[in-house]
Structure formats: structure tokens, C-alpha cells
Amino acid sequence: MDLPHHGHRATKPRARTGPPAGDPMLFDDTSSGGPPMPSQGYYNSGYNMSGPPGGGGGGAGAGVNNLFADPMANAAMMYGSSIANQGKDIVNKEIGRFVSMNKLKHFFAVDTKYVIKKLMLLMFPYTHQDWEVRYHRDTPLPPRHDVNAPDLYIPSMAFITYILLAGMALGIQKRFSPEVLGLCASTALVWMVIEVLAMLLSLYLLTVHSDLSTFDLIAYSGYKYVGMIFTVLCGLLFGSDGYFVALAWSSCALMFFIVRSLKMKILSSLSSDSMGAGASAKPRFRLYITMATAVFQPIIIYWLTSHLVR
């Protein structure tokens, strides 16, 4: 009785011959050739990783196509996409609890023309006449339509540029290390947070009602990085003399800009609840807040840039 083979070759069939006249072979002789391979049509479904029956160079592409055509693979991809979308919705929902994304987009609605005008206003604010923020149906215009509107694009880009410039300055002086650069970035962020919190606390304790939001305060606090970049560049190019001249110019320009900008937000926002006892002191308190915010800017600029120029 002939034993069945475990597989058959994918070649043209050969004529069957009877066993030799001697003893019957109990096992196939596999010493002279490789193991028998399954035919092309052995698997009728599932993963056909051997390529198309006709052969050719598209075996890998056919294997990928078969993989994506498999129902289980498609189900896994759809499930992964649904999980990713659910995670995105959860993250956006949690962020939306604390930050209004539409309001945040408003502060980044800038264009090249606005950025150039704003940078010129920050460095040369003395000739600017109209400082009033324009509104449309009780909503402030986006920055690209009003140069007086605060934005977050220039502060964020200026902060990144300041960190890169600090790394270059430390590298020129052979004092660069990742720890020092990280300390420089964290110190700048901490000072900004302290400044914004102090401003919010002052407005709250003195019951000063204005249309200043937290994003507005972050924007006005972040404009100092433009003057810091100018100061460090002058210090690197012209030494300590150039550094102090640039420090004086950028500090005076920033103080003038802060006073004129916050004057439209704080000093002119006279609310009805300021009537009564202590009403005459409210304008004085508003003036103190505005002047303290302006005077605080040169101190931070010097503190964050003096160690970069030697």
C-alpha cells in the first residue's frame, strides 16, 4: 500500500510508476533535495504571501495588498482610527474646559504686514498716534486688521528666538551646556508667569474692571522678548557699550508702549461700581498698576540678558 505524500510539487505532473521490485520504501528519500513545497493552489483563502501564480516582481506589493484586503486587518485599522478620534475628542474637550480655542486662534490671526508693523511699533512707538483697539459688534478685530490689537504670535516666536540666541551667545563664550540653556528658558517662563499672576492679582484686589483677559496680559508681557533679542544682538556685536545702549533704547520704547497700550485698557475703563467711597482713589490705583507694569519690564530685560553678554 502506497503511503500518501505530505505535499506535491508545483511542477507539471509526472507519470506514476510502481515501486521497485525490492523492499517497499517506508519513508520518502529527502537526502538529495529540499523538503516538498506546497502548490500554489494549496491555500484557497487567507494570507497568500507567496505572490501571484504568474510569478514576477510584484510579490511584495501583492502581499501588502492582500494584507490590507483582509477583513481582520481592515477591522483593526478602523478600530484604531476610532480610538484615535475618541482620544482627540477627549483631549480637545479637556483643553476646552480651561482654554477657549476660538479665542486662542484670534490671537494668532496675523499676517506678514501686521508682524512688520508691530515690530516697528515696539521699537519706535513714539510717533504712533492712534492707540485705540478697534471693535466690530463688541468684538475686537483680529490682529491682522488692527495693529493695536495684542497677539501671541510675536511673543511666542520672540521667546523661541531668544532661547536660540541665548544658546548661541553661550556657545561663543564657551559656556554652553544643555542644563544652562534649560535654566535660561525656565527662568524666562517663570518670570512671565509671575508677572501675569501679579497683574491679575492686582486688578482683582483693587477691583479694577477692564476688558483685559489673561491672553492680553501674556501678550503684553511677551513683547519684552523683542527688546531682549535686540539687546543681546547689540551686546554680541558691539560689546558691553552696545549692550547698555540697546538696553536703554529697548527699555524706554517698551515702557512707552506698555503705558500707552494699557492706558486704553485700564485707565479709561471707569466702571459704574467705582462710585461711592474710595471712588477718587480708583484712577490713582489704575495709574499705579500701569506704571508698575511698565517699570518692571526693564528690570526683567536686564535680569534675563546680562549674563549672556560679557
Side-chain angles (χ1 to χ4, degrees), residues 92 95-96 98-108 215:
N92 292 336
I95 294 177
F98 304 97
V99 179
S100 176
M101 299 305 297
N102 292 331
K103 192 172 184 180
L104 187 61
K105 291 178 181 179
H106 169 83
F107 285 89
F108 284 92
F215 290 140

Side-chain angles (χ1 to χ4, degrees), residues 171-186:
I172 293 175
Q173 302 171 18
K174 308 298 183 183
R175 296 188 294 120
F176 175 81
S177 67
E179 293 78 11
V180 175
L181 189 61
L183 180 62
C184 182
S186 60

Side-chain angles (χ1 to χ4, degrees), residues 52-195:
V64 174
N65 292 333
N66 292 333
L67 179 62
F68 283 103
D70 184 73
M72 293 299 296
N74 290 333
M77 292 177 60
M78 294 177 62
Y79 182 74
S81 300
S82 64
I83 293 296
N85 292 332
Q86 292 178 6
K88 181 180 178 181
D89 294 340
I90 293 175
V91 171
N92 292 336
K93 183 179 179 180
E94 292 299 324
I95 294 177
R97 293 174 55 187
F98 304 97
V99 179
S100 176
M101 299 305 297
N102 292 331
K103 192 172 184 180
L104 187 61
K105 291 178 181 179
H106 169 83
F107 285 89
F108 284 92
V110 301
D111 54 11
T112 304
K113 184 178 179 181
Y114 167 81
V115 172
I116 295 175
K117 286 185 176 181
K118 195 72 170 188
L119 292 177
M120 296 299 295
L121 180 61
L122 289 171
M123 299 306 300
F124 306 97
Y126 307 106
T127 59
H128 191 63
Q129 299 297 327
D130 185 12
W131 293 87
E132 186 176 359
V133 177
R134 294 175 175 81
Y135 286 80
H136 176 67
R137 296 180 180 178
D138 298 333
T139 302
L141 293 177
R144 63 172 174 265
H145 297 308
D146 184 13
V147 70
N148 296 322
D151 72 285
L152 291 177
Y153 176 80
I154 292 179
S156 59
M157 293 297 104
F159 175 79
I160 296 174
T161 305
Y162 161 72
I163 299 302
L164 297 176
L165 187 61
M168 185 184 71
L170 294 173
I172 293 175
Q173 302 171 18
K174 308 298 183 183
R175 296 188 294 120
F176 175 81
S177 67
E179 293 78 11
V180 175
L181 189 61
L183 180 62
C184 182
S186 60
T187 303
L189 285 176
V190 168
W191 275 112
M192 176 182 288
V193 172
I194 292 175
E195 182 181 357

